[in-house]
Amino acid sequence: MNFVAGDVSRARPALRKAGLEWLDHLAREPRRLARRYLREDAPFAAALLARSLHHRLTHRPAHRA
């Protein structure tokens, strides 16, 4: 998508700020992006989230006085 040339408009600022611009892209071009975003990227994102959650639950920060 060519945002710089102005061929494609960007997502609304609220979506960009929330880090959900990809969701706007998916809604605009589901045929082209669904496979990439949902089939290929979702398992990676889920694994990353699981790792982060596991780390957060097992590594408690030291108490600061």
Side-chain angles (χ1 to χ4, degrees):
M1 295 184 174
N2 200 345
F3 300 112
V4 177
D7 296 336
V8 177
S9 62
R10 301 231 14 216
R12 289 178 285 168
L15 286 174
R16 289 194 313 235
K17 188 174 181 179
L20 297 174
E21 191 164 6
W22 65 271
L23 190 60
D24 183 68
H25 294 267
L26 181 61
R28 290 178 193 216
E29 298 186 67
R31 284 192 140 181
R32 188 172 77 83
L33 298 174
R35 169 181 258 168
R36 181 187 317 161
Y37 287 179
L38 301 177
R39 188 184 298 171
E40 297 172 8
D41 293 348
F44 172 76
L48 190 63
L49 182 62
R51 251 175 81 184
S52 176
L53 182 61
H54 178 265
H55 180 77
R56 185 174 280 227
L57 293 174
T58 58
H59 295 87
R60 302 196 184 253
H63 177 70
R64 293 184 181 189

